Amino acid sequence: QVQLVESGGGSVQAGGSLRLSCAASGRTDGILHMAWFRQSPGEERVGVAAIRYGGTNTYYADSVKGRFTISQDRGKNTVYLEIVSLKPEDTAKYYCAATTKFIISFSLWLAPERYSTWGQGTQVTVSS
């Protein structure tokens, strides 16, 4: 089993930056993809960035391209999400997810149903 723990959230002013971390533990050798999702109250969980675990390919939602960067440190079993130029609309709970199943289509890398393991989330609040 894989466990995920997110950290790095907080309250920041618009224009600021944050780096979220997702530490994986357990049977991490089977992870093929990891992704970040966000969810605001009353809204659906939306994928923002994904990465081929152990590889180089990444995929971003159009709404965050240029401001969000996903990266990984395999030695630390950690995936990061760096967010710059934060906007109030980025306010949400951010979740990390992992899957041990290969996702063929890039467009499905941000589909929540493709991921079987989730962290507890970390809150990001951006004030104007």
Side-chain angles (χ1 to χ4, degrees), residues 2-6 22-23 34-39 45-48 93-99 109-121:
V2 174
Q3 295 81 41
L4 303 174
V5 178
E6 303 98 330
C22 174
M34 292 187 71
W36 285 96
F37 295 78
R38 65 184 181 185
Q39 187 171 24
R45 193 167 295 187
V46 176
V48 294
K93 196 163 189 179
Y94 284 71
Y95 296 88
C96 176
T99 181
W109 283 24
L110 297 181
E113 63 270 18
R114 295 286 173 164
Y115 294 84
S116 54
T117 302
W118 294 81
Q120 82 289 348

Short mmCIF file of all heavy atoms in Angstrom, two decimals, residues 2-6 22-23 34-39 45-48 93-99 109-121:
data_model
loop_
_atom_site.label_atom_id
_atom_site.label_comp_id
_atom_site.label_asym_id
_atom_site.label_seq_id
_atom_site.Cartn_x
_atom_site.Cartn_y
_atom_site.Cartn_z
N VAL A 2 0.32 2.28 -0.57
CA VAL A 2 1.02 3.57 -0.63
C VAL A 2 0.28 4.55 0.26
O VAL A 2 -0.95 4.59 0.27
CB VAL A 2 1.06 4.09 -2.08
CG1 VAL A 2 1.66 5.49 -2.12
CG2 VAL A 2 1.86 3.13 -2.96
N GLN A 3 1.03 5.34 0.99
CA GLN A 3 0.46 6.43 1.77
C GLN A 3 1.05 7.74 1.26
O GLN A 3 2.22 7.81 0.91
CB GLN A 3 0.77 6.27 3.26
CG GLN A 3 0.14 5.05 3.91
CD GLN A 3 0.93 3.78 3.66
OE1 GLN A 3 2.14 3.78 3.71
NE2 GLN A 3 0.22 2.68 3.39
N LEU A 4 0.19 8.77 1.27
CA LEU A 4 0.60 10.09 0.79
C LEU A 4 0.32 11.13 1.86
O LEU A 4 -0.77 11.13 2.44
CB LEU A 4 -0.15 10.47 -0.49
CG LEU A 4 -0.03 9.50 -1.67
CD1 LEU A 4 -0.95 9.94 -2.80
CD2 LEU A 4 1.41 9.41 -2.15
N VAL A 5 1.28 12.02 2.08
CA VAL A 5 1.09 13.09 3.05
C VAL A 5 1.51 14.41 2.41
O VAL A 5 2.67 14.58 2.01
CB VAL A 5 1.92 12.85 4.33
CG1 VAL A 5 1.74 14.02 5.29
CG2 VAL A 5 1.52 11.54 5.00
N GLU A 6 0.56 15.33 2.32
CA GLU A 6 0.84 16.65 1.76
C GLU A 6 1.24 17.63 2.84
O GLU A 6 0.84 17.49 4.00
CB GLU A 6 -0.39 17.21 1.02
CG GLU A 6 -0.93 16.36 -0.09
CD GLU A 6 -2.11 15.51 0.34
OE1 GLU A 6 -2.14 15.15 1.55
OE2 GLU A 6 -2.99 15.21 -0.48
N CYS A 22 4.42 16.46 -1.42
CA CYS A 22 3.65 15.23 -1.22
C CYS A 22 4.64 14.10 -1.01
O CYS A 22 5.35 13.72 -1.95
CB CYS A 22 2.76 14.95 -2.42
SG CYS A 22 1.92 13.35 -2.33
N ALA A 23 4.73 13.62 0.21
CA ALA A 23 5.65 12.54 0.54
C ALA A 23 4.94 11.21 0.45
O ALA A 23 3.91 11.01 1.11
CB ALA A 23 6.22 12.76 1.93
N MET A 34 1.74 10.38 -10.55
CA MET A 34 1.27 11.15 -9.40
C MET A 34 0.72 12.47 -9.92
O MET A 34 1.15 12.96 -10.98
CB MET A 34 2.38 11.38 -8.39
CG MET A 34 2.82 10.10 -7.69
SD MET A 34 3.99 10.36 -6.35
CE MET A 34 2.94 11.13 -5.12
N ALA A 35 -0.21 13.02 -9.16
CA ALA A 35 -0.86 14.24 -9.63
C ALA A 35 -1.31 15.09 -8.45
O ALA A 35 -1.43 14.60 -7.32
CB ALA A 35 -2.06 13.90 -10.51
N TRP A 36 -1.55 16.34 -8.75
CA TRP A 36 -2.12 17.28 -7.79
C TRP A 36 -3.50 17.68 -8.27
O TRP A 36 -3.70 18.00 -9.46
CB TRP A 36 -1.25 18.52 -7.66
CG TRP A 36 0.00 18.30 -6.89
CD1 TRP A 36 1.24 18.02 -7.38
CD2 TRP A 36 0.14 18.38 -5.46
NE1 TRP A 36 2.15 17.90 -6.35
CE2 TRP A 36 1.50 18.13 -5.16
CE3 TRP A 36 -0.73 18.65 -4.41
CZ2 TRP A 36 1.99 18.12 -3.86
CZ3 TRP A 36 -0.24 18.64 -3.11
CH2 TRP A 36 1.10 18.38 -2.85
N PHE A 37 -4.42 17.69 -7.32
CA PHE A 37 -5.78 18.12 -7.58
C PHE A 37 -6.13 19.22 -6.59
O PHE A 37 -5.48 19.36 -5.55
CB PHE A 37 -6.77 16.96 -7.40
CG PHE A 37 -6.59 15.86 -8.40
CD1 PHE A 37 -5.56 14.93 -8.26
CD2 PHE A 37 -7.43 15.75 -9.49
CE1 PHE A 37 -5.38 13.92 -9.20
CE2 PHE A 37 -7.27 14.73 -10.42
CZ PHE A 37 -6.24 13.82 -10.28
N ARG A 38 -7.15 19.99 -6.89
CA ARG A 38 -7.62 20.97 -5.92
C ARG A 38 -9.14 20.97 -5.90
O ARG A 38 -9.79 20.64 -6.90
CB ARG A 38 -7.08 22.36 -6.23
CG ARG A 38 -7.53 22.99 -7.52
CD ARG A 38 -6.83 24.33 -7.72
NE ARG A 38 -7.24 25.00 -8.95
CZ ARG A 38 -6.71 26.13 -9.40
NH1 ARG A 38 -5.72 26.72 -8.71
NH2 ARG A 38 -7.15 26.67 -10.51
N GLN A 39 -9.65 21.34 -4.74
CA GLN A 39 -11.10 21.34 -4.57
C GLN A 39 -11.50 22.49 -3.67
O GLN A 39 -10.98 22.64 -2.56
CB GLN A 39 -11.56 20.01 -3.98
CG GLN A 39 -13.06 19.85 -3.91
CD GLN A 39 -13.45 18.44 -3.51
OE1 GLN A 39 -12.68 17.70 -2.88
NE2 GLN A 39 -14.66 18.03 -3.88
N ARG A 45 -13.56 18.10 -7.48
CA ARG A 45 -12.10 18.03 -7.41
C ARG A 45 -11.57 18.09 -8.84
O ARG A 45 -12.02 17.35 -9.72
CB ARG A 45 -11.67 16.73 -6.73
CG ARG A 45 -10.23 16.70 -6.33
CD ARG A 45 -9.96 15.53 -5.40
NE ARG A 45 -10.68 15.67 -4.13
CZ ARG A 45 -10.49 14.85 -3.11
NH1 ARG A 45 -9.61 13.84 -3.20
NH2 ARG A 45 -11.18 15.02 -1.99
N VAL A 46 -10.61 18.99 -9.06
CA VAL A 46 -10.09 19.24 -10.40
C VAL A 46 -8.59 18.99 -10.43
O VAL A 46 -7.86 19.46 -9.55
CB VAL A 46 -10.38 20.70 -10.82
CG1 VAL A 46 -9.76 21.00 -12.17
CG2 VAL A 46 -11.88 20.95 -10.85
N GLY A 47 -8.14 18.29 -11.46
CA GLY A 47 -6.72 18.05 -11.60
C GLY A 47 -6.00 19.28 -12.12
O GLY A 47 -6.51 19.96 -13.02
N VAL A 48 -4.83 19.57 -11.56
CA VAL A 48 -4.07 20.72 -12.03
C VAL A 48 -2.72 20.35 -12.63
O VAL A 48 -2.24 21.02 -13.53
CB VAL A 48 -3.87 21.77 -10.91
CG1 VAL A 48 -5.19 22.38 -10.50
CG2 VAL A 48 -3.17 21.15 -9.69
N LYS A 93 -8.40 23.41 -1.33
CA LYS A 93 -7.64 22.35 -0.68
C LYS A 93 -6.96 21.57 -1.79
O LYS A 93 -7.62 21.16 -2.75
CB LYS A 93 -8.52 21.46 0.16
CG LYS A 93 -7.74 20.62 1.16
CD LYS A 93 -8.63 20.06 2.23
CE LYS A 93 -7.83 19.40 3.34
NZ LYS A 93 -8.69 18.87 4.42
N TYR A 94 -5.66 21.39 -1.64
CA TYR A 94 -4.87 20.71 -2.65
C TYR A 94 -4.57 19.29 -2.19
O TYR A 94 -4.09 19.07 -1.07
CB TYR A 94 -3.59 21.48 -2.92
CG TYR A 94 -3.82 22.72 -3.75
CD1 TYR A 94 -4.47 23.83 -3.21
CD2 TYR A 94 -3.44 22.78 -5.09
CE1 TYR A 94 -4.72 24.96 -3.98
CE2 TYR A 94 -3.67 23.91 -5.86
CZ TYR A 94 -4.32 25.00 -5.29
OH TYR A 94 -4.56 26.11 -6.06
N TYR A 95 -4.84 18.36 -3.08
CA TYR A 95 -4.66 16.94 -2.79
C TYR A 95 -3.63 16.34 -3.73
O TYR A 95 -3.58 16.66 -4.92
CB TYR A 95 -5.96 16.18 -2.97
CG TYR A 95 -7.06 16.56 -2.02
CD1 TYR A 95 -7.94 17.59 -2.32
CD2 TYR A 95 -7.24 15.88 -0.81
CE1 TYR A 95 -8.96 17.95 -1.45
CE2 TYR A 95 -8.26 16.23 0.06
CZ TYR A 95 -9.11 17.26 -0.26
OH TYR A 95 -10.12 17.60 0.60
N CYS A 96 -2.85 15.43 -3.18
CA CYS A 96 -1.92 14.64 -3.96
C CYS A 96 -2.53 13.26 -4.18
O CYS A 96 -3.23 12.74 -3.30
CB CYS A 96 -0.62 14.53 -3.17
SG CYS A 96 0.64 13.49 -3.90
N ALA A 97 -2.27 12.69 -5.34
CA ALA A 97 -2.81 11.37 -5.65
C ALA A 97 -1.78 10.54 -6.40
O ALA A 97 -0.90 11.10 -7.07
CB ALA A 97 -4.08 11.50 -6.49
N ALA A 98 -1.92 9.24 -6.30
CA ALA A 98 -0.99 8.33 -6.97
C ALA A 98 -1.75 7.14 -7.53
O ALA A 98 -2.81 6.77 -7.03
CB ALA A 98 0.08 7.84 -5.99
N THR A 99 -1.17 6.56 -8.58
CA THR A 99 -1.74 5.35 -9.14
C THR A 99 -0.62 4.40 -9.56
O THR A 99 0.46 4.86 -9.97
CB THR A 99 -2.65 5.63 -10.34
OG1 THR A 99 -3.17 4.39 -10.83
CG2 THR A 99 -1.89 6.32 -11.47
N TRP A 109 -4.49 12.05 -17.49
CA TRP A 109 -3.60 12.15 -16.34
C TRP A 109 -4.20 13.01 -15.23
O TRP A 109 -3.78 12.91 -14.09
CB TRP A 109 -2.25 12.74 -16.76
CG TRP A 109 -1.36 11.78 -17.47
CD1 TRP A 109 -1.72 10.67 -18.17
CD2 TRP A 109 0.06 11.86 -17.57
NE1 TRP A 109 -0.61 10.06 -18.70
CE2 TRP A 109 0.50 10.75 -18.34
CE3 TRP A 109 1.02 12.75 -17.07
CZ2 TRP A 109 1.84 10.53 -18.64
CZ3 TRP A 109 2.35 12.53 -17.35
CH2 TRP A 109 2.76 11.42 -18.14
N LEU A 110 -5.18 13.85 -15.56
CA LEU A 110 -5.79 14.72 -14.56
C LEU A 110 -7.21 14.27 -14.21
O LEU A 110 -7.97 15.04 -13.62
CB LEU A 110 -5.82 16.16 -15.06
CG LEU A 110 -4.43 16.78 -15.29
CD1 LEU A 110 -4.57 18.22 -15.77
CD2 LEU A 110 -3.60 16.72 -14.03
N ALA A 111 -7.54 13.05 -14.55
CA ALA A 111 -8.86 12.53 -14.22
C ALA A 111 -8.81 11.89 -12.84
O ALA A 111 -8.06 10.92 -12.62
CB ALA A 111 -9.28 11.49 -15.26
N PRO A 112 -9.58 12.38 -11.87
CA PRO A 112 -9.52 11.85 -10.51
C PRO A 112 -9.78 10.35 -10.41
O PRO A 112 -9.15 9.67 -9.58
CB PRO A 112 -10.61 12.63 -9.77
CG PRO A 112 -10.84 13.85 -10.58
CD PRO A 112 -10.55 13.48 -11.99
N GLU A 113 -10.65 9.85 -11.27
CA GLU A 113 -11.01 8.44 -11.18
C GLU A 113 -9.86 7.51 -11.57
O GLU A 113 -9.93 6.30 -11.35
CB GLU A 113 -12.24 8.15 -12.07
CG GLU A 113 -12.03 8.38 -13.55
CD GLU A 113 -12.35 9.79 -13.99
OE1 GLU A 113 -12.41 10.69 -13.11
OE2 GLU A 113 -12.54 10.00 -15.19
N ARG A 114 -8.80 8.07 -12.15
CA ARG A 114 -7.64 7.25 -12.52
C ARG A 114 -6.71 7.01 -11.34
O ARG A 114 -5.77 6.23 -11.46
CB ARG A 114 -6.86 7.94 -13.64
CG ARG A 114 -7.66 8.06 -14.93
CD ARG A 114 -7.78 6.72 -15.63
NE ARG A 114 -8.68 6.77 -16.77
CZ ARG A 114 -8.72 5.84 -17.70
NH1 ARG A 114 -7.92 4.78 -17.63
NH2 ARG A 114 -9.56 5.94 -18.70
N TYR A 115 -6.96 7.65 -10.23
CA TYR A 115 -6.04 7.58 -9.09
C TYR A 115 -6.71 6.85 -7.93
O TYR A 115 -7.86 7.11 -7.60
CB TYR A 115 -5.60 8.98 -8.68
CG TYR A 115 -4.75 9.61 -9.75
CD1 TYR A 115 -5.32 10.28 -10.82
CD2 TYR A 115 -3.36 9.50 -9.71
CE1 TYR A 115 -4.55 10.83 -11.83
CE2 TYR A 115 -2.57 10.06 -10.71
CZ TYR A 115 -3.18 10.71 -11.77
OH TYR A 115 -2.40 11.25 -12.77
N SER A 116 -5.95 5.97 -7.32
CA SER A 116 -6.51 5.12 -6.28
C SER A 116 -6.06 5.50 -4.88
O SER A 116 -6.68 5.09 -3.90
CB SER A 116 -6.11 3.66 -6.54
OG SER A 116 -4.69 3.56 -6.67
N THR A 117 -5.00 6.27 -4.78
CA THR A 117 -4.47 6.63 -3.46
C THR A 117 -4.43 8.15 -3.34
O THR A 117 -3.94 8.82 -4.25
CB THR A 117 -3.06 6.06 -3.25
OG1 THR A 117 -3.10 4.63 -3.38
CG2 THR A 117 -2.53 6.42 -1.88
N TRP A 118 -4.93 8.64 -2.22
CA TRP A 118 -5.05 10.07 -2.01
C TRP A 118 -4.48 10.46 -0.65
O TRP A 118 -4.56 9.70 0.31
CB TRP A 118 -6.51 10.51 -2.08
CG TRP A 118 -7.10 10.34 -3.43
CD1 TRP A 118 -7.60 9.18 -3.97
CD2 TRP A 118 -7.25 11.35 -4.44
NE1 TRP A 118 -8.05 9.41 -5.25
CE2 TRP A 118 -7.85 10.74 -5.56
CE3 TRP A 118 -6.94 12.70 -4.49
CZ2 TRP A 118 -8.14 11.44 -6.74
CZ3 TRP A 118 -7.23 13.40 -5.65
CH2 TRP A 118 -7.82 12.78 -6.76
N GLY A 119 -3.93 11.67 -0.60
CA GLY A 119 -3.53 12.22 0.67
C GLY A 119 -4.70 12.94 1.33
O GLY A 119 -5.81 12.98 0.78
N GLN A 120 -4.43 13.53 2.47
CA GLN A 120 -5.48 14.18 3.24
C GLN A 120 -5.71 15.63 2.81
O GLN A 120 -6.69 16.25 3.20
CB GLN A 120 -5.14 14.14 4.74
CG GLN A 120 -4.19 15.23 5.22
CD GLN A 120 -2.76 15.06 4.74
OE1 GLN A 120 -2.39 14.01 4.21
NE2 GLN A 120 -1.95 16.09 4.93
N GLY A 121 -4.80 16.15 2.01
CA GLY A 121 -4.95 17.51 1.49
C GLY A 121 -4.25 18.55 2.33
O GLY A 121 -4.01 18.36 3.52
#
